[in-house]
Amino acid sequence: MMSLLQVSDVHVAYGKVEAVFGVNLVAEQGCITTIIGPNGAGKTTLLSSLAGLHPLSAGQVVLDGADISSLATEARLERGLVLVPEKRELFPDMSVEDNLNLGAYHRRWTGGRTLRGDLDQIFSLFPRLKERRKQTAETLSGGERQMLALGRALMSKPRLLLLDEPSLGLAPLITRQIFEIISDLCRSGVSIILVEQNARAALAIAKYGYVIEQGRVVLQGLAIELAADPKVAGTYLGKN
Ligand code: ATP
């Protein structure tokens, strides 16, 4: 397996307050790598800094052999690094279809026909979105919004998807569907970094996992081994 993303000794701060302290992490090509940990551990901060939304105070991020540490978000997007944020960040008064098309904004020069084909692919992956294509995003249920956020990210043809708590606020049945979709995406060749509070579900679909506490990696390993680790089981697998 090749490593697609390498994160080396990354520090991220809000002003003088450090939230991420020297994190090292590797995401392999074609795999799901999960990052679990408690509230406030720094997972969202780490993920958004990988997407270029927060500058690093130290460290390096290498995508496919190229140092992208100082690239802007748009340039990272063009290299296939795409964040689906925790809050989904859809355009509520725009239609499902227009929200999806915005995901391909940076590919607008590739022409209408390709985008039409890509939209059809998204609709075959998410038939619910097809049924609701003319509805505004604000009229969707929580699960449908998450599908739309994933669909919009897929319209940008990602190589590495950064998913921030895709199960947040969703009922257990819908969470299961979303996790099945994430597994399918991985099988179709998209590499994924999955940040989750739902550690049990995340470790079940991931190949590799990292546990982050107070801004530091405290455990890492094969997801199957982490799920069996008494420290992980005791702290993170109790509730869900
Ligand atoms: P959660 O699961 O609750 O989203 P998290 O693991 O994603 O938690 P972060 O949101 O990255 O954790 O927060 C890490 C630390 O950084 C926390 O102490 C938090 O209070 C702090 N923090 C997050 N965002 C900001 C901000 N905009 N300004 C200042 N401090 C922040």
Side-chain angles (χ1 to χ4, degrees), residues 72-94:
T73 302
E74 179 80 5
R76 295 183 198 214
L77 188 65
E78 281 167 13
R79 287 166 183 251
L81 189 60
V82 181
L83 173 69
V84 180
E86 192 172 348
K87 297 198 175 82
R88 281 60 148 168
E89 286 170 17
L90 302 168
F91 292 92
D93 52 1
M94 288 174 68

Side-chain angles (χ1 to χ4, degrees), residues 140-160:
L140 300 180
S141 71
E144 290 161 357
R145 284 178 201 200
Q146 185 57 54
M147 289 175 196
L148 181 53
L150 281 171
R152 186 179 58 181
L154 292 174
M155 284 296 284
S156 65
K157 294 276 170 200
R159 296 188 60 208
L160 180 59

Side-chain angles (χ1 to χ4, degrees), residues 51-52 67-76 79:
D67 185 349
I68 61 161
S69 313
S70 53
L71 290 186
T73 302
E74 179 80 5
R76 295 183 198 214
R79 287 166 183 251

